[in-house]
Amino acid sequence: MTSLDKSATPEADETTTAAPEAATLAVPPGALGEKVDLRTYVHNYFLRVRGGDMGSLPAIGGLVVLVIIFLIAESNFGSLYNFANMFREGTSTIFIAMGLVFVLLLGEIDLAAGYTAGICASVMARLMDGYGWKWYGTIPAAVICGLVIGLAIGVLVAKLRIPSFVVTLSFFLAFQGVVLLILSNGKGQHGQITLSDSVINGFANNYMPLWAGWVLAAVVIVGYGVQKMAAQAARRRQGLAGEPAAVLGFKVGALAVIALLVVWGLNQNRAQGQAHRAVVYVNHKPQYVTVKPPPVEGVPYVIPVLLVLFVVLTFLLTRTRYGRHVYAVGGNAEAARRAGINVDRVRISVFAISAMLAAIGGIMISSFTSSTAANAFGGNTLLLAVGAAVIGGTSLFGGRGRIVDAIIGGAVVEVIYNGFGDLFNGNNNSAIQLIAVGLALLLAAAVDALSRRRAGASGLA
């Protein structure tokens, strides 16, 4: 009877044979608290990658390859002026993408984020130009406007059970009209509103003193090192293995090199134009002097704003009860509900956070152009932000993603846009840029789907 049962169910042997491999992948050496040396740590890492847990690795690899290609193919790509300009241009996309990470973690989508940014920026501009409000009033008003929009979307999705795709697509269409109404009516300028507030314009167009850039780099390096050591200590108190000292040192060292190189590059004079001779009159006598263009140097003020938001949002997702609830709902909403998590409240909150960050992104778009216009918040604003989040490693299926994904993906999108913009001049410039970003997004979605399938097969998901 026993031999008959074995021969009748050959798949039982396959399952038995495959089980140890899945168990090895699911519980790698060192996961239960024993000490992990460098070799074991690297081995575990490659096990996770092979099992489908690739995180931002494809995006980082793609970013490095793209930068190398554009440095070789386009001489202007590596200029200090272009380097700083990419920081100023790309941050608005990153701010919106940070908010979309929260929504995508639940397997939802916010198609209205681009025009939410437009409405909030338009409210800010109208209050400033037509009613004389200062930046300390208009910026909170724009963020509160985003909060109200996000709560409305969240309630419709969570309470009425309308799919987020339908709700946000409806808002995407309607918000275009709302932006036009705000910009075309009321006191002050109509159509395109030119911003005169030096603080708001200064986020993207003004630069920190040179010494402040170095201080910022030091704060980032020391803060990261302290955070990593605190995490190590916490894991050891819980009986879990931490990262080997060599890995910890490599991560802190790599960040230090990157931060110092970025600040060094941004602190160089990037002024364009050549020095020229001009005539000045001294005691009614003409004299020739050499006139140099004013220096353009320093870290843009938008960078510390980005870093502060990154730290706050990362802490929210990884170190708070709320963050654990977001991941739980994104992983399995029904299991989260049975565990006592208020799923509707979490779902509403992620749309509120997304809309508030879209408001900040809209402010940065207006800061970069020193104006607010309806065409600045078109479909590309949303698509590039979604592309940034997904390309960086956030899953479209929910449950997997980090705030840093928005930064890495935003860097990839900006490099593609900037690099192809310089490489292909003429009428086809925009077409090539959009095709390249679209293909990158498609590739990222394919990698996400394949890695999830692999993770499920290997026992990591």
Side-chain angles (χ1 to χ4, degrees):
M1 182 68 179
T2 304
S3 60
L4 183 63
D5 288 344
K6 287 183 178 179
S7 62
T9 57
E11 64 275 5
D13 293 330
E14 278 186 289
T15 305
T16 305
T17 308
E21 181 184 356
T24 301
L25 289 171
V27 187
L32 299 179
E34 64 269 25
K35 185 178 180 180
V36 178
D37 57 18
L38 179 60
R39 182 177 178 182
T40 304
Y41 181 88
V42 173
H43 175 70
N44 292 349
Y45 175 76
F46 282 108
L47 277 178
R48 293 197 303 271
V49 172
R50 193 180 70 179
D53 184 13
M54 290 187 288
S56 298
L57 188 62
I60 294 173
L63 179 62
V64 172
V65 171
L66 286 169
V67 168
I68 293 173
I69 291 174
F70 289 133
L71 284 174
I72 296 172
E74 176 52 54
S75 59
N76 291 328
F77 180 81
S79 68
L80 291 174
Y81 178 83
N82 192 55
F83 176 65
N85 202 44
M86 284 194 287
F87 275 94
R88 295 167 56 235
E89 281 183 333
T91 48
S92 56
T93 298
I94 292 174
F95 284 122
I96 300 174
M98 283 178 169
L100 289 171
V101 167
F102 284 84
V103 175
L104 291 171
L105 280 172
L106 265 60
E108 305 285 357
I109 190 66
D110 184 0
L111 298 177
Y115 278 109
T116 296
I119 288 178
C120 298
S122 300
V123 168
M124 176 193 71
R126 176 58 63 208
L127 291 174
M128 181 184 302
D129 180 64
Y131 299 91
W133 286 35
K134 302 297 183 183
W135 66 270
Y136 47 79
T138 58
I139 291 178
V143 175
I144 292 172
C145 179
L147 173 63
V148 172
I149 291 172
L151 290 174
I153 294 173
V155 168
L156 290 172
V157 172
K159 298 300 184 181
L160 298 186
R161 299 292 189 268
I162 306 174
S164 59
F165 178 87
V166 176
V167 174
T168 57
L169 178 60
S170 302
F171 279 30
F172 169 82
L173 297 172
F175 284 176
Q176 299 179 54
V178 175
V179 171
L180 291 172
L181 284 174
I182 296 173
L183 294 177
S184 301
N185 296 277
K187 296 180 180 179
Q189 305 171 58
H190 288 167
Q192 177 173 315
I193 299 178
T194 301
L195 303 180
S196 58
D197 191 287
S198 59
V199 173
I200 291 177
N201 288 337
F203 285 130
N205 298 303
N206 289 348
Y207 305 96
M208 301 171 65
L210 301 188
W211 62 265
W214 294 115
V215 171
L216 178 65
V219 169
V220 169
I221 296 166
V222 173
Y224 180 74
V226 169
Q227 183 271 326
K228 294 298 289 185
M229 288 188 288
Q232 287 279 78
R235 288 183 63 84
R236 286 170 181 164
R237 284 196 300 269
Q238 296 169 3
L240 300 173
E243 293 176 331
V247 174
L248 181 61
F250 173 79
K251 288 183 176 181
V252 176
L255 177 67
V257 170
I258 293 172
L260 294 174
L261 283 176
V262 167
V263 172
W264 176 84
L266 292 175
N267 277 352
Q268 304 304 304
N269 186 6
R270 306 180 297 275
Q272 299 215 310
Q274 301 293 327
H276 62 277
R277 291 175 63 82
V279 177
V280 297
Y281 288 87
V282 179
N283 296 326
H284 304 291
K285 294 181 180 180
Q287 291 185 4
Y288 286 96
V289 296
T290 301
V291 179
K292 297 180 179 180
V296 178
E297 55 193 8
V299 177
Y301 278 106
V302 71
I303 300 301
V305 176
L306 177 65
L307 290 175
V308 168
L309 277 176
F310 167 71
V311 171
V312 171
L313 296 175
T314 299
F315 180 83
L316 181 64
L317 270 183
T318 61
R319 293 288 186 269
T320 66
R321 183 179 179 186
Y322 170 76
R324 292 191 293 272
H325 288 180
V326 170
Y327 282 108
V329 174
N332 189 321
E334 183 56 33
R337 182 179 287 106
R338 293 183 179 183
I341 297 173
N342 191 324
V343 174
D344 286 352
R345 186 179 300 169
V346 171
R347 188 165 281 125
I348 293 171
S349 69
V350 297
F351 283 102
I353 292 172
S354 175
M356 286 191 291
L357 286 165
I360 296 174
I363 293 169
M364 294 305 168
I365 291 173
S366 296
S367 174
F368 180 71
T369 59
S370 298
S371 64
T372 302
N375 58 10
F377 307 96
N380 289 349
T381 303
L382 165 72
L383 298 178
L384 293 178
V386 173
V390 175
I391 290 170
T394 300
S395 175
L396 287 165
F397 302 100
R400 188 168 66 191
R402 302 168 300 167
I403 298 301
V404 73
D405 295 343
I407 297 178
I408 296 172
V412 173
V413 169
E414 180 59 29
V415 166
I416 290 174
Y417 241 66
N418 189 283
F420 279 108
D422 290 338
L423 199 58
F424 295 94
N425 295 315
N427 296 331
N428 294 325
N429 183 305
S430 297
I432 297 297
Q433 289 174 322
L434 292 172
I435 291 171
V437 174
L439 291 176
L441 177 56
L442 180 62
L443 179 61
V447 169
D448 179 30
L450 292 173
S451 64
R452 274 191 168 267
R453 185 183 304 173
R454 178 59 181 162
S458 61
L460 289 176

